[in-house]
Amino acid sequence: MIDKTRITAASICDAIVMDLSDEKPKAKHEQKTRQVERLLIARSKAGCHVCLLIEESQDLSVRILKLLKRFYEIEDGYKKAMGIILIGQPELGSLFNEADHYDMREVIRRCQIAESKD
């Protein structure tokens, strides 16, 4: 999606389903999330590594960043079913400042941040 401010839970689910299978994304949100979980776990069991990469992530809302944490929590046993890489401008770093965004502490504490010094 070009306009990252318009990303929704449904659009992320749809993208994952379309990229991992030939299935049509389910219509209802609960069905979509179950479909994503099933596909991610099946890929993991098959030995595949899945990674969601989002560029221009500084435009994502706090709500969507919290949602991404839930996708990251999907596991195949003790193994994460999907990695997530967010790439963005320096403004993205300010979203991961716990002092400014205490409501995001659960997300922030699960992230590793790499910065370019260029």
Side-chain angles (χ1 to χ4, degrees), residues 6 9 27 35 45 56 71 76 83 90 99 113 115:
R6 298 184 60 197
Q35 185 179 26
K45 288 186 183 305
E56 300 299 327
F71 282 113
D76 172 22
I113 298 174
E115 296 181 52

Side-chain angles (χ1 to χ4, degrees), residues 54-84:
I54 302 176
E55 293 186 89
E56 300 299 327
S57 297
Q58 73 276 359
D59 293 334
L60 296 175
S61 68
V62 168
R63 184 180 59 78
I64 292 299
L65 292 168
K66 287 180 177 182
L67 170 78
L68 291 174
K69 179 185 93 57
R70 291 195 172 81
F71 282 113
Y72 180 71
E73 291 172 340
I74 298 172
E75 295 181 342
D76 172 22
Y78 292 106
K79 182 173 65 170
K80 297 293 183 192
M82 179 174 69
I84 300 173

Side-chain angles (χ1 to χ4, degrees), residues 35-106:
Q35 185 179 26
V36 166
E37 182 174 15
R38 179 181 50 78
L39 290 169
L40 288 172
I41 290 173
R43 285 291 175 122
S44 178
K45 288 186 183 305
C48 297
H49 299 279
V50 176
C51 182
L52 174 66
L53 181 113
I54 302 176
E55 293 186 89
E56 300 299 327
S57 297
Q58 73 276 359
D59 293 334
L60 296 175
S61 68
V62 168
R63 184 180 59 78
I64 292 299
L65 292 168
K66 287 180 177 182
L67 170 78
L68 291 174
K69 179 185 93 57
R70 291 195 172 81
F71 282 113
Y72 180 71
E73 291 172 340
I74 298 172
E75 295 181 342
D76 172 22
Y78 292 106
K79 182 173 65 170
K80 297 293 183 192
M82 179 174 69
I84 300 173
I85 298 174
L86 303 176
I87 300 171
Q89 299 298 318
E91 297 84 3
L92 179 61
S94 67
L95 288 172
F96 289 94
N97 181 335
E98 194 171 327
D100 294 336
H101 297 280
Y102 185 74
D103 59 325
M104 282 221 351
R105 67 191 174 285
E106 291 181 34

